[in-house]
Amino acid sequence: MTINQPSLAVVVPCYNEEEVLPKTLSVLLALLSDLEAKQKISSASRIYFVDDGSKDATWAQLEQAAAAYDEVVAIKLSRNKGHQNALYAGLCTTTEDIIVSIDADLQDDPKNIEYMVDEYLKGNEVVYGVRSARHTDTFFKRFTAEGYYHVMKKMGVDLVFNHADFRLLSRRALDTLQQYDESNLFLRGIVREIGFKSSVVEYERQAREAGESKYPLRKMLSFAWKGITAFSTMPLRMITVLGLLSGFVSFFLMVWVLAVRFFSDDAMPGWASTLLPLLFIGSVQLLCMGIIGEYLSKIYEEVKRRPKYHISDIVKKENNKSDL
C-alpha cells in the first residue's frame, strides 16, 4: 500500500569518512528540507548514519550532528563488521515508511532520491538506483565493476546490472527482507529474491567528493565470491563438468601409454606418462576440494547463528544519548 506523504529514512553506512561526511550531511539535510517543502515526504523523516567501527573522527562528527539536528540519528557499531552488516544494522533500526540506502561518498547522486520517492508514489515498493554511465571511473574500475555483473549473471545470480546498494524499499519490502536470516549478507541479491513491484531510476555516477574508495580490488573479488557462493550452485556444477573432462583426458592418456608400451620400440615409457596424469588429476582434485570447502565454510557460519552486528550507542537529539 502506497502512502501519499510517507516518512523517509535515509541510511548511510560510514567507515573512515571524516573527509566527506560534512558535505554528505549538508547535502542530505538540504534534500530532506526540499522534499518536505514539496510535500513529498513528511516532517518525521530521518537520516541514519551508521559508523562501522571507524578509526578516524567519523563518530565524533556523527555525535555532533545528531546533537545539532533533529533529523539525524547516529548509530555506532561495537566494531567494524563490514559494509553489508553496517547497512543492514541501519535498515533494521529505521521505523519510517520508506527507506533509501546510499553510500557516504556521494558518488550516487542524492538528488535521485526524489525520483525514487516519485516511483514509490506510483506504487513501486522497490526502486533500484542504476548507473547509466561510469565516465568518472578509471578504465580498470569500470572494466572490473562491469565484468563483475557479467560473471555473476553467468553464474546464475540474479542481479540488476550496474546496481549496487543505492535503492528505495517500502516498509513492507524491508520487513520481508528481515525474514531472510542469513549470516552471509549479500543484500543486492536478497532484495531481488523478495519480489514486489519494482522500478529503476538511472543516473550517472559522480566522482568521489573526498577520501578514498573503501572497495579496492581485493574487497571487490571477495564480495563477488561471497555473492556467488551465497546465491549460486554453479561452481558445484562446474566441478561435475571438470570431472567429466578430466575423465576424457585421462582415458586418452591411458590409450597413449598403452600404445607406447605395446607398439613402440624406441619410445621409452617413463616419467612423462606417469607424471602428467598425476599432476593433472591432482590439480583438479585440489581445485574441487577448495570450492567444496568454500561452501562448507558458509554452512559452518550459518549454523553458528551469530548476531550480524552489535550496536554500542545510538544518539539522537530528542533522547540525547542511550547506551545499548
Side-chain angles (χ1 to χ4, degrees), residues 60 113 131 134 196:
I113 292 176
R131 299 158 184 168
R134 289 176 172 270
F196 294 121

Side-chain angles (χ1 to χ4, degrees), residues 37-288:
K38 294 178 179 177
Q39 298 186 336
K40 290 190 175 183
I41 61 174
S42 75
S43 58
S45 300
R46 295 288 181 270
I47 306 169
Y48 292 79
F49 289 98
V50 184
D51 178 28
D52 185 22
S54 297
K55 299 175 182 176
D56 60 6
T58 296
W59 177 244
Q61 292 182 9
L62 292 180
E63 280 189 305
Q64 294 174 4
Y69 300 100
D70 294 336
E71 298 89 346
V72 175
V73 178
I75 303 167
K76 180 177 177 60
L77 300 190
S78 58
R79 52 160 293 189
N80 176 254
K81 296 293 287 185
H83 176 271
Q84 294 289 283
N85 286 321
L87 175 56
Y88 189 74
L91 294 174
C92 293
T93 308
T94 63
T95 56
E96 285 69 20
D97 301 317
I98 55 175
I99 305 94
V100 171
S101 54
I102 186 172
D103 288 341
D105 56 19
L106 297 180
Q107 287 189 279
D108 302 322
D109 192 344
K111 291 180 181 176
N112 293 287
I113 292 176
E114 180 176 359
Y115 306 135
M116 290 182 168
V117 174
D118 291 341
E119 290 298 314
Y120 166 78
L121 295 174
K122 293 176 184 176
N124 296 291
E125 298 204 53
V126 180
V127 184
Y128 300 101
V130 174
R131 299 158 184 168
S132 61
R134 289 176 172 270
H135 299 310
T136 57
D137 287 349
T138 63
F139 170 78
F140 180 75
K141 174 70 175 178
R142 185 168 60 253
F143 177 78
T144 54
E146 294 187 346
Y148 160 78
Y149 291 99
H150 290 301
V151 170
M152 297 296 278
K153 184 178 181 181
K154 292 291 184 184
M155 288 290 175
V157 183
D158 182 21
L159 296 181
V160 177
F161 186 75
N162 263 338
H163 163 70
D165 287 306
F166 183 32
R167 72 177 75 85
L168 178 147
L169 296 173
S170 69
R171 171 52 53 185
R172 185 170 70 151
L174 178 57
D175 290 342
T176 306
L177 176 68
Q178 290 178 265
Q179 295 175 20
Y180 287 73
D181 190 23
E182 300 184 17
S183 298
N184 295 285
L185 283 177
F186 187 67
L187 291 173
R188 66 191 69 178
I190 298 175
V191 170
R192 291 289 287 172
E193 290 286 320
I194 66 176
F196 294 121
K197 186 179 179 182
S198 65
S199 65
V200 166
V201 169
E202 293 190 344
Y203 64 97
E204 289 195 16
R205 187 172 171 79
Q206 307 297 311
R208 187 181 176 88
E209 289 285 339
E212 59 183 18
S213 172
K214 305 304 183 296
Y215 262 89
L217 180 60
R218 178 180 59 81
K219 280 193 174 181
M220 286 179 61
L221 292 175
S222 174
F223 192 58
W225 185 245
K226 185 176 182 180
I228 291 171
T229 53
F231 281 87
S232 174
T233 57
M234 185 63 74
L236 291 175
R237 294 176 182 171
M238 291 171 65
I239 289 175
T240 304
V241 174
L242 197 57
L244 289 173
L245 291 176
S246 66
F248 280 117
V249 173
S250 298
F251 173 77
F252 286 112
L253 283 173
M254 289 172 61
V255 172
W256 174 71
V257 170
L258 291 174
V260 171
R261 171 66 179 81
F262 293 108
F263 302 108
S264 174
D265 294 329
D266 51 2
M268 296 291 293
W271 64 271
S273 59
T274 303
L275 191 60
L276 283 176
L278 289 176
L279 290 174
F280 178 74
I281 295 173
S283 62
V284 170
Q285 287 178 332
L286 288 175
L287 174 64
C288 294

